[in-house]
Amino acid sequence: QVEAAIDRGQAWLLEHSDELVRAEPDQYVSQMGIALYSIWGHAYAIHAILPLHERAAGDEELQARLKKLLEYHVGRLKTSEFINGGWSYYDEGAKTLTPSGSPFSFSTATVLIALKKAEKLGVDFPEPLAKKAVASILRQRYPDFSYAYGEYLKHRPRYDINRPAGSLGRSQVCNLALRMYGDEHVTDEVLKTWLNRLFARN
């Protein structure tokens, strides 16, 4: 039953996930900017494709289809990265072809982790763009490893959602992304501290 469910999910992914494109403004978002919810789909598709590719060992045709789909999602993330680096699911900037709003720390971290994993299949993301995204997260990091919700709040460390408790859902994904891209400040002790904080509050 599990294998059959995976087969159905894989079939859907292969047939439909390359239809995922930048969203049009909806009634709510049109008051603020453009919806870029597609970045989540691209990142999570990459996470799904990698184990499916491994599962398809011995089936070169299927692996080739999966790799081509992986390249599509990586390519879409390239075109949806913000001008100053990183990703967000809203673009409240100048409504330009390249998004010009404020990247969010956790969105950027989620995408960076997916892109790093895509390298296992030889699908690389341009290094200058990855460095810009990493720099965006670093600009949003506070000394205690809390992270701003988005760059638009980076100068407001005590704003409610930027406090350590508000950052519990963001800190570890940001820490992981930065560590995967070589940040030596994210030590085991930092990871343990934030895991303990999450446990204590929940």
Side-chain angles (χ1 to χ4, degrees):
Q1 289 177 335
V2 171
E3 292 296 325
I6 295 172
D7 286 337
R8 290 195 300 274
Q10 177 177 261
W12 188 95
L13 198 69
L14 286 165
E15 184 176 352
H16 296 293
S17 76
D18 63 354
E19 300 168 4
L20 183 60
V21 295
R22 183 168 167 166
E24 294 293 330
D26 59 31
Q27 186 173 1
Y28 168 69
V29 178
S30 63
Q31 300 172 15
M32 305 189 306
I34 304 296
L36 298 173
Y37 304 128
S38 56
I39 64 128
W40 296 116
H42 296 307
Y44 294 141
I46 292 170
H47 282 290
I49 290 167
L50 293 169
L52 289 173
H53 186 276
E54 182 177 351
R55 178 175 178 262
D59 188 338
E60 294 183 3
E61 181 181 354
L62 177 55
Q63 285 190 322
R65 291 181 66 196
L66 288 165
K67 185 173 181 180
K68 183 178 179 181
L69 188 60
L70 180 66
E71 291 169 344
Y72 164 80
H73 288 290
V74 171
R76 294 300 300 182
L77 288 168
K78 177 181 175 181
T79 61
S80 62
E81 183 171 5
F82 281 41
I83 290 173
N84 58 337
W87 292 266
S88 172
Y89 46 88
Y90 292 137
D91 179 12
E92 300 173 61
K95 318 300 186 295
T96 49
L97 180 62
T98 300
S100 57
S102 170
F104 293 169
S105 58
F106 55 98
S107 304
T108 299
T110 299
V111 171
L112 281 173
I113 292 168
L115 293 174
K116 177 60 71 173
K117 291 186 174 183
E119 293 176 2
K120 294 179 181 178
L121 293 185
V123 180
D124 296 324
F125 190 75
E127 185 177 359
L129 296 181
K131 285 183 175 180
K132 284 176 64 177
V134 168
S136 170
I137 298 178
L138 290 174
R139 289 193 296 269
Q140 298 175 71
R141 183 168 72 186
Y142 301 118
D144 65 353
F145 291 88
S146 298
Y147 293 82
Y149 191 92
E151 280 214 50
Y152 69 104
L153 292 175
K154 65 183 178 182
H155 297 305
R156 300 177 65 185
R158 297 298 91 182
Y159 182 67
D160 54 1
I161 60 173
N162 283 350
R163 294 176 184 175
S167 185
L168 283 173
R170 298 189 294 274
S171 283
Q172 290 293 58
V173 69
C174 292
N175 286 333
L176 176 59
L178 291 175
R179 184 158 163 157
M180 291 174 74
Y181 283 82
D183 187 341
E184 296 180 357
H185 293 93
V186 182
T187 62
D188 288 353
E189 190 60 33
V190 169
L191 297 176
K192 290 176 183 177
T193 295
W194 281 88
L195 184 59
N196 284 332
R197 285 181 171 180
L198 182 66
F199 178 81
R201 283 190 170 266
N202 291 278

